[in-house]
Amino acid sequence: MTARLAHVAAQAGVSEATVSRVLNDRPGVSEATRQAVLTALDVLGYDRPSRLRESAAGLVGLIVPELSNPVFPTFAQVIETGLVVSGYMPLLCTQTPGGIQEDDYLRMLLDRGVAGVVFVSGLHADTTSDASRYVALHERRLPIVLVNGFVEGLDVPCLSNDDAAAMDLAVSHLAGLGHRRIGLATGPERFRPVQRRTAAFEPAVRRHLGEGAEAHVEHTIFSVEGGVAAAHRLLDRGVTAIACGSDLMALGAIRAVRDRGLRVPEDVSVVGSDDSSLMAFTDPPLTTIRQSVQAIGDAAVRALVDEILGHPTPRGEFLFRPELIVRSSTAVAAS
């Protein structure tokens, strides 16, 4: 018992006396400290005392953005399946505009005594947000994994799509088809994946088209409507090909092209991003940069489970290379 108290105390960063008070359900312990001790029990593989099992030790939180973008339900399915196979019960938390947000879900998950949390494209991807929420979780020794977003200096596993490689694949494909004026329609500048794509786009254009080539970028919102707006602005600038920050934006770009009486791909080529479900069945089937959702999701589960079990886990950011999927929304540039 003494050895267990010492192990749990060291894991939770508290005294053995505090651990004893939590295990015996004694007063005088803050809720944050209580949750840290319970999490330490889960991480070290010790059973919670029966009176402290109102929340199952095998619960894992999964926080994802709204599900209107098809790539997020795919991430959720992959990660949930992996967690269940590993013996954990996922709690899916979906954010909605004007509804429950990440911090609200996080408080609920901590109240439930979850063993860990996976964040997909959350506030960690927003460079204007306060990263202290993740620092606090790390300091209380709650295992967390970040997907598609990186917090500088945070010592946790982070798994991301290689956005620079995605830009190179898109520009290389379009340049190879003879397009000389290529535009990028992408999301708000505050998001780290957007910053990385934007930073990689102009060098990719110069690399594949020469130093004199122009790179045209439009920032908008990640939606069909955002794609429509950005595409109209890019078409006004004379582009013949548009690379988009998501598949939904690409569908919007196709709509904008058709609104002008032009054709895809005969007059304007369009490239999406993610290869979300049904993109092979759109009109025309969408050329896109496939994100390695299965590989990223599987790696996220492995990293979190290892963290929960107390096994050494590689920290820092790991980039997963995307893949160009050529369909019918791109063609040789009109002469």
Side-chain angles (χ1 to χ4, degrees):
M1 180 66 177
T2 301
R4 186 176 75 160
L5 286 177
H7 290 159
V8 175
Q11 179 69 25
V14 300
S15 69
E16 292 183 32
T18 298
V19 173
S20 179
R21 283 197 294 272
V22 172
L23 295 182
N24 290 289
D25 207 19
R26 299 277 176 80
V29 180
S30 71
E31 182 58 24
T33 300
R34 178 178 178 276
Q35 290 298 333
V37 171
L38 294 178
T39 299
L41 286 172
D42 298 338
V43 169
L44 295 173
Y46 293 129
D47 290 333
R48 297 187 184 192
S50 58
R51 60 183 167 276
L52 300 178
R53 293 178 188 169
E54 66 275 0
S55 300
L59 292 177
V60 169
L62 171 57
I63 302 180
V64 300
E66 56 184 308
L67 300 182
S68 58
N69 186 333
V71 74
F72 295 131
T74 305
F75 262 119
Q77 181 177 9
V78 169
I79 295 172
E80 284 186 317
T81 300
L83 288 170
V84 170
V85 170
S86 300
Y88 293 86
M89 177 65 70
L91 290 177
L92 178 61
C93 303
T94 305
Q95 302 175 67
T96 56
I100 301 177
Q101 298 301 302
E102 182 174 310
D103 287 339
D104 300 318
Y105 277 126
L106 189 54
R107 283 190 290 270
M108 179 271 290
L109 292 172
L110 293 176
D111 288 343
R112 294 284 188 91
V114 293
V117 183
V118 179
F119 297 87
V120 178
S121 298
L123 291 174
H124 61 286
D126 187 339
T127 58
T128 66
S129 71
D130 185 359
S132 63
R133 57 178 57 84
Y134 305 111
V135 174
L137 293 175
H138 178 59
E139 288 178 346
R140 70 185 290 170
R141 293 172 173 78
L142 179 71
I144 64 172
V145 173
L146 307 181
V147 174
N148 280 341
F150 179 63
V151 178
E152 193 72 39
L154 185 61
D155 187 30
V156 302
C158 179
L159 313 168
S160 300
N161 182 56
D162 190 336
D163 297 299
M167 281 294 87
D168 189 73
L169 288 170
V171 173
S172 174
H173 172 63
L174 294 169
L177 293 173
H179 292 279
R180 305 294 301 175
R181 297 181 66 82
I182 301 172
L184 171 63
T186 189
E189 295 181 76
R190 70 180 186 273
F191 294 115
R192 192 173 299 278
V194 172
Q195 293 174 358
R196 289 177 170 179
R197 290 188 180 222
T198 303
F201 180 63
E202 185 173 351
V205 169
R206 290 199 306 268
R207 186 164 53 253
H208 295 290
L209 294 179
E211 287 298 324
E214 296 182 26
H216 306 278
V217 180
E218 289 291 339
H219 292 279
T220 181
I221 58 175
F222 280 117
S223 67
V224 171
E225 294 75 18
V228 171
H232 276 302
R233 294 195 292 267
L234 290 169
L235 292 170
D236 287 341
R237 297 164 73 176
V239 304
T240 63
I242 302 174
C244 298
S246 72
D247 290 335
L248 289 183
M249 294 182 73
L251 297 181
I254 292 172
R255 179 188 297 176
V257 171
R258 289 174 172 167
D259 286 346
R260 294 187 174 218
L262 302 174
R263 299 166 298 166
V264 176
E266 292 84 356
D267 301 308
V268 179
S269 288
V270 176
V271 177
S273 182
D274 292 334
D275 194 29
S276 44
S277 60
L278 304 180
M279 291 304 110
F281 306 100
T282 58
D283 179 25
L286 187 66
T287 295
T288 187
I289 308 300
R290 176 181 291 166
Q291 187 174 175
S292 301
V293 174
Q294 185 71 50
I296 294 173
D298 288 345
V301 171
R302 288 196 301 271
L304 187 73
V305 171
D306 282 345
E307 289 279 304
I308 291 172
L309 296 177
H311 300 322
T313 307
R315 305 299 181 89
E317 186 176 30
F318 300 88
L319 300 179
F320 289 71
R321 186 170 179 82
E323 177 185 1
L324 173 67
I325 305 298
V326 179
R327 297 193 180 104
S328 303
S329 65
T330 54
V332 174
S335 57

